[in-house]
């Protein structure tokens, strides 16, 4: 029997995600890819490309879409199990809220709601998602003797000029949203029904400009309107830049090697990479 994939929903940290465990890779080094298939799209998960390990491995998918079936499978590139069949796994991650995040910094995720909640999370404005334009390059050629030109039409692109307008009513959430926008690069929106019904399950966007409109800051009102208009794009292919666990996090857990040995006694390497704290 070849590689076996097991998946589990992880508690929001800050957004819901999936832990993918791969076992049965064999006793010598194996190079493999981890793929996710959802809504008819098969995608290499971030950090899941050209992984090399012995026997087993673990990777977190921080970009799993919500409320639909996501299937995970392993593609063996080289190793002792390359000719053996692999066992895939499926999962549905529930969420009542959408999330906005930097795909390269999963810990940056911010909840998005369609109605106001007590935690002051950004809320979609009435102007959001009012238009989705599916553009294509079109060239017209006039044919002699005909009043009707011939059209050459290129590949129609994903929606452009999509309004993701939001409003924040708490200073902390405004600051968090501003920091996320200012971090640069493409952003990822993981929508949910009903407001996400017309959107793909993962919306990578490239916002050239974002307008921040404080309503009555001079009166101490923290309400801010955010006007975000952006095309949907292909997600970046880079691995995560700031993972959930960093060396600084691990260093902060333990003062000595003896503490590490005590906390992780009896743990396998797979256990440790899942949770360096030993929890």
């Amino acid at each position: 029997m070849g590689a076996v994939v097991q998946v589990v929903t992880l508690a929001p940290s800050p957004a819901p995600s999936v832990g993918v465990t791969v076992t049965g890779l064999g006793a010598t080094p194996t190079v493999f890819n981890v793929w996710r298939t959802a809504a008819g799209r098969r995608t290499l998960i971030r950090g899941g490309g050209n992984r090399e390990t012995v026997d087993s491995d673990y990777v977190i998918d921080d970009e799993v879409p919500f409320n639909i079936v996501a299937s995970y499978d392993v593609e063996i590139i080289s190793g002792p199990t390359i000719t053996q069949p692999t066992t895939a796994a499926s999962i549905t991650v529930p969420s009542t809220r959408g999330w906005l995040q930097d795909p390269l910094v999963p810990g940056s995720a911010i909840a998005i709601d369609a109605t106001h909640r007590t935690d002051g999370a950004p809320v979609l404005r009435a102007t959001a998602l009012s238009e989705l334009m599916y553009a294509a390059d079109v060239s017209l050629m006039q044919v002699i003797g005909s009043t009707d030109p011939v059209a050459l039409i290129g590949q129609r692109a994903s929606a452009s000029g999509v309004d993701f307008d939001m409003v924040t009513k708490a200073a902390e959430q405004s600051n968090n949203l501003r920091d996320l926008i200012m971090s640069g690069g493409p952003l990822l929106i993981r929508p949910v029904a009903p407001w996400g019904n017309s959107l793909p399950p993962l919306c990578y966007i490239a916002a050239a400009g974002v307008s921040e409109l404080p309503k009555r800051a001079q009166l101490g009102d923290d309400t801010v309107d955010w006007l975000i208009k952006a095309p949907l794009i292909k997600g970046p292919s880079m691995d995560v830049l700031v993972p959930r666990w960093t060396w600084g996090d691990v260093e902060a857990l333990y003062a000595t090697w003896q503490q590490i040995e005590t906390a992780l006694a009896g743990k396998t390497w797979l256990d440790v990479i899942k949770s360096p704290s030993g929890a």
Side-chain angles (χ1 to χ4, degrees):
M1 184 173 179
V4 176
V5 180
Q6 297 172 304
V7 289
V8 62
T9 300
L10 301 179
S13 182
S17 57
V18 166
V20 183
T21 302
V22 183
T23 57
L25 294 172
T28 56
T30 295
V31 179
F32 62 98
N33 295 325
V34 182
W35 295 86
R36 178 205 328 114
T37 301
R41 292 191 177 187
R42 189 168 185 256
T43 306
L44 188 68
I45 71 171
R46 199 169 307 283
N50 288 314
R51 297 184 70 87
E52 182 174 358
T53 191
V54 173
D55 182 51
S56 59
D57 202 0
Y58 177 76
V59 63
I60 295 176
D61 181 14
D62 287 295
E63 299 170 48
V64 59
F66 299 129
N67 305 322
I68 62 173
V69 177
S71 299
Y72 293 83
D73 67 280
V74 170
E75 174 193 11
I76 304 297
I77 299 174
S78 66
T81 63
I82 190 169
T83 61
Q84 301 177 25
T86 62
T87 302
S90 298
I91 195 169
T92 300
V93 177
S95 182
T96 58
R97 327 176 75 171
W99 291 84
L100 171 68
Q101 65 195 68
D102 182 338
L104 305 184
V105 186
S108 66
I110 297 175
I112 301 175
D113 293 315
T115 57
H116 289 285
R117 299 197 186 191
T118 57
D119 59 2
V123 176
L124 293 172
R125 300 180 69 226
T127 54
L129 307 176
S130 57
E131 180 181 4
L132 284 76
M133 170 66 73
Y134 303 98
D137 291 331
V138 177
S139 298
L140 298 179
M141 300 178 61
Q142 191 67 50
V143 179
I144 296 176
S146 174
T147 57
D148 299 321
V150 174
L152 300 178
I153 303 177
Q155 174 67 47
R156 193 166 298 279
S158 297
S160 62
V162 184
D163 295 308
F164 290 103
D165 299 340
M166 305 178 196
V167 59
T168 51
K169 289 183 173 291
E172 180 181 0
Q173 290 297 342
S174 296
N175 292 336
N176 291 340
L177 181 56
R178 184 185 306 107
D179 290 343
L180 178 56
I181 292 171
M182 293 300 293
S183 67
L187 297 174
L188 167 62
I189 294 176
R190 300 157 71 187
V192 295
W195 60 266
N197 288 345
S198 59
L199 298 171
L202 296 175
C203 299
Y204 297 91
I205 65 172
V210 176
S211 296
E212 177 181 353
L213 307 175
K215 301 295 285 185
R216 292 171 293 276
Q218 71 276 18
L219 301 178
D221 189 339
D222 292 327
T223 302
V224 178
D225 285 340
W226 302 84
L227 306 185
I228 304 173
K229 196 179 189 71
L232 303 186
I233 62 169
K234 183 177 178 61
S237 58
M238 294 175 60
D239 288 346
V240 169
L241 295 179
V242 182
R244 288 168 173 262
W245 284 101
T246 66
W247 283 112
D249 295 332
V250 177
E251 185 179 24
L253 290 173
Y254 308 106
T256 65
W257 278 109
Q258 183 58 54
Q259 290 181 356
I260 295 176
E261 292 178 358
T262 300
L264 302 179
K267 302 288 186 180
T268 65
W269 171 244
L270 190 62
D271 296 329
V272 173
I273 60 176
K274 287 182 177 181
S275 177
S277 67

